[in-house]
Structure formats: C-alpha cells, structure tokens
C-alpha cells in the first residue's frame, strides 16, 4: 500500500480482535522498521516481546492487548546524544505503526509515567543506561479511514 | 512504491540537486504528514521554514553565530565557519522543528515523540517525491544566541533542523544490525 493511503488510516483505539499476534510477524516488521534514521548509525534500540497472556504479569498496571512490544532506547550519559537516540527510536516506532496498518494490525503507544518505574524496569530486565521509550499494545483491529478533519489549518508554519 | 521499500531505501541525503523545491509541494507534504498525527499534539509543534534566499541566508547566519558561541566553535577558523554557513545557505530548503516543553515530563516526552512521528512521515513522503532530507541535531545548534535569534523560548525544545532538496546523489546503504539480534521474549524461555 502507498504511504499516502496508509497515512489516512488508523485503528479504532481499544478494540483489538481476540486473535493471536504471531511474534514472527512483529519481528518481520521490525526488520524493516530498523531502517529508521539514527545519528551515527548507533542503532540505539532493542525490543522485548510480551505475549498478551503474560501482559498482566509483566505490566500489572497496564491494559490488556493481544501482544505488547516494549521498545527500549539507549540512555547514554551525554544528554544530547540521549535525545538524538530517543528521536531515532520514535522514528522506528512510526515505521512500525505504518507497517502494522498494512497488515490490519493496530499499535497503540503507551508513554505513561509508570513505564519508568524501577520495579517494572527490574522485572523486564531494563539495564543501566537504557530506558523504555514506549510500550506498544498490538492487535488485529478494524482499520478505517481517518475522518479527514482539516488538520492542515492546525499546523503552525512560519517563514524564517 | 510500497511503504516497506520507502522505509528501506530512504537515506539521509547530503547532496542536493541545484533545483528549487516549490513551496506548495512542501506545504502539501506537511499536510499529508500531519493527517495521521494527533491534532492536539500538532498544536504543540511549530515549523520554521526557509525556502527563499533571504530566509536561508538569515538562518545560516544564525547557525554560524551559534557555532561561534560554542567552545568548539571558537577553535574553528573563521574561514571554515563561513564555508559551513555557505553550505547551509545553498541547500534548497531548511526546516526548523520546535515543540512545547513546559508540561509534565510525560507530556514533554509525548510532544517530542509526536514531532518525531510527524518528521518520519514527512521524510518518507518526501522520499517518494524524490526529495531527500538530512535531519541535523548538531550540539552546536543548541545555544542561547541561536534560540534567541529564532525566537525559541525557554518553554520550547528544538527537535532539529531538516535540510532538504531534490536528490542529487543517494549514498549506498550501510549495513544494519538485524532486529532479531536485538529482540527478546519476555519472560525468557
């Protein structure tokens, strides 16, 4: 599907089908998504796949979904590099969302404060100099056309 | 072109064709990149574009002043800095991306994330049109004089500057680590 038509699509939040999401498929999408721009080719990411059944155990506070992907970013001491790395990981996440839509898979992004809790970090094995960038809730979903609201007037653009 | 091939084939472009990028084309790309974005989140982002020669000269001088203000910039000879400014002023277009940075940490992270989502959409859409981009986030741009000259307040955050133009030369891909090498199941079996 073309990128333009994909950008016009979205999944209805919170309405995943009760259908298993194969980890192999998510890994396959990730193999494409890692072609995200990243400064100095640091590839500052790694991934934890959590099956829906294990979701409660892994993240007791979190809503249920057929699968979760914990996207982990490097968090080096140099704050400037840390920000650049985070940007790269967010670009990768956007790639994943687009690739998912093409497979009728919706991905909801969770960036709530609790993703940084030390107990969660420990349970998931997040290392020093790493941070959770986001947790993606993944599931097959009804993918529809975004109501073509006029976002355009909302963009704030000025000439330098 | 499928989204998969655009994602894989897109490169950061440093060599642009000597050809103007029409303003209406950029506006169209901005609008299309914004369609999938949270409308409220879009409100927290602003773009400063330089396509006219006058704007590009202005922005590249701001960048030059910014470099000069840094400790490293002081060590670089004037002639080198002027070459850099010339390079930036001769790029077909530049785009400065700024987001709000004054709410809770979670809000700040989300503003930053959403700007990145928008920019990745923009880079993919541009690629399809033969427009290459190069996202600069050099530390030398993060200076007080630069923020002041551009009117970036201390309640805002600079996401970066995208250089863009029609592609002259596409660099060869550099090998990437397969995702499978960076992937674990939880709990580990």
């Amino acid at each position: 599907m073309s990128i333009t038509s994909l950008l016009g699509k979205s999944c209805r939040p919170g309405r995943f089908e009760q259908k298993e999401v194969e980890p192999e498929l998510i890994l396959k999408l990730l193999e494409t998504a890692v072609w995200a721009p990243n400064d100095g080719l640091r590839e500052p990411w790694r991934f934890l796949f959590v099956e829906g059944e294990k979701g409660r155990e892994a993240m007791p506070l979190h809503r249920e979904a057929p699968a979760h992907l914990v996207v982990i970013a490097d968090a080096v001491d140099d704050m400037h590099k840390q920000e650049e790395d985070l940007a790269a990981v967010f670009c990768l996440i956007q790639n994943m969302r687009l690739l998912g839509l093409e497979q009728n898979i919706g991905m909801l992004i969770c960036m709530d404060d609790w993703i940084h809790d030390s107990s969660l970090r420990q349970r998931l094995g997040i290392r020093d100099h790493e941070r959770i960038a986001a947790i993606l809730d993944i599931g097959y979903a009804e993918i529809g056309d975004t109501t073509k609201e006029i976002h355009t007037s909302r963009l704030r653009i000025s000439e330098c | 072109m499928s989204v998969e091939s655009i994602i894989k084939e897109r490169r950061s472009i440093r060599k642009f064709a000597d050809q103007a990028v029409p303003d209406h084309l950029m506006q169209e790309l901005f609008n299309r990149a914004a369609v999938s974005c949270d409308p409220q989140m879009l409100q927290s982002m602003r773009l400063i574009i330089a396509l006219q020669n006058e704007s590009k000269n202005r922005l590249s001088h701001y960048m030059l002043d910014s470099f000069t203000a840094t400790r490293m910039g002081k060590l670089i000879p004037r002639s080198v800095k002027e070459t850099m400014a010339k390079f930036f002023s001769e790029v077909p277009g530049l785009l400065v991306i700024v987001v709000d940075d004054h709410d809770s940490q979670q809000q700040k992270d989300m503003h930053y994330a959403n700007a990145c989502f928008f920019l990745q959409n923009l880079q993919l859409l541009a690629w399809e049109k033969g427009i290459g981009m190069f996202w600069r986030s050099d530390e030398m741009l993060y200076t007080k004089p630069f923020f002041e000259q551009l009117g970036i307040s201390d309640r805002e955050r600079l996401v970066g500057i995208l250089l863009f133009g029609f592609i002259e030369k596409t660099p060869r891909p550099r090998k990437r680590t397969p995702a499978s090498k960076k992937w674990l199941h939880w709990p580990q079996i």
Side-chain angles (χ1 to χ4, degrees), chain B residues 123-134:
Chain B
Q123 293 182 92
L124 297 174
L125 284 164
W127 189 262
E128 204 180 32
K129 295 276 183 202
I131 295 174
M133 297 187 154
F134 187 11

Side-chain angles (χ1 to χ4, degrees), chain B residues 13-136:
Chain B
I13 296 300
R14 291 160 179 79
K15 279 208 167 142
F16 302 104
D18 186 15
Q19 183 187 349
V21 180
D23 185 45
H24 67 86
L25 179 55
M26 291 313 294
Q27 300 293 334
E28 183 198 326
L29 293 177
F30 294 152
N31 291 336
R32 280 160 61 195
V35 168
S36 75
C37 298
D38 181 319
Q40 247 185 324
M41 285 294 173
L42 286 178
Q43 273 298 296
S44 65
M45 178 178 76
R46 65 186 181 94
L47 308 173
I48 305 165
I49 190 169
L51 273 175
Q52 311 297 332
N53 282 334
E54 213 176 279
S55 311
K56 290 193 288 181
N57 282 332
R58 198 175 300 135
L59 182 55
S60 53
H61 275 100
Y62 294 166
M63 289 162 89
L64 178 68
D65 291 347
S66 182
F67 293 155
T68 310
T70 62
R71 209 183 332 154
M72 203 174 136
K74 289 196 177 82
L75 303 173
I76 299 173
R78 178 108 203 136
S79 60
V80 174
K81 280 183 282 205
E82 266 161 13
T83 312
M84 286 166 83
K86 190 164 175 286
F87 168 74
F88 289 123
S89 67
E90 284 171 359
V91 163
L94 301 104
L95 181 74
V96 183
I97 306 95
V98 179
V99 286
D100 287 349
D101 194 43
H102 55 80
D103 294 314
S104 67
Q105 191 57 47
Q106 185 182 331
Q107 281 297 319
K108 288 183 193 178
D109 289 348
M110 286 182 58
H111 290 328
Y112 189 62
N114 277 284
C116 296
F117 300 156
F118 171 83
L119 289 178
Q120 179 62 0
N121 287 346
L122 184 65
Q123 293 182 92
L124 297 174
L125 284 164
W127 189 262
E128 204 180 32
K129 295 276 183 202
I131 295 174
M133 297 187 154
F134 187 11
W135 181 336
R136 305 291 301 244

Side-chain angles (χ1 to χ4, degrees), chain A residues 26-98:
Chain A
I26 299 306
L27 181 55
K28 186 173 162 259
L29 301 184
L30 275 172
E31 294 295 2
T32 301
V34 293
W35 287 90
N38 63 101
D39 193 71
L41 205 63
R42 294 198 287 273
E43 301 180 291
W45 45 61
R46 71 182 183 93
F47 318 100
L48 270 187
F49 183 84
V50 182
E51 282 170 38
E53 280 177 20
K54 298 285 180 192
R56 281 266 169 237
E57 196 184 325
M59 303 162 272
L61 296 174
H62 197 38
R63 59 183 169 232
E64 285 179 29
H68 305 272
L69 188 72
V70 182
V71 183
I72 303 161
D74 288 348
V76 294
D77 286 330
D78 181 332
M79 281 312 287
H80 187 78
K81 280 203 163 61
Q82 195 179 125
E83 284 205 13
E84 288 178 335
D85 286 347
L86 212 45
V89 173
F90 290 137
C91 287
L92 178 143
I93 290 174
Q94 183 60 16
N95 285 347
M96 280 302 278
R97 289 163 88 189
L98 293 171

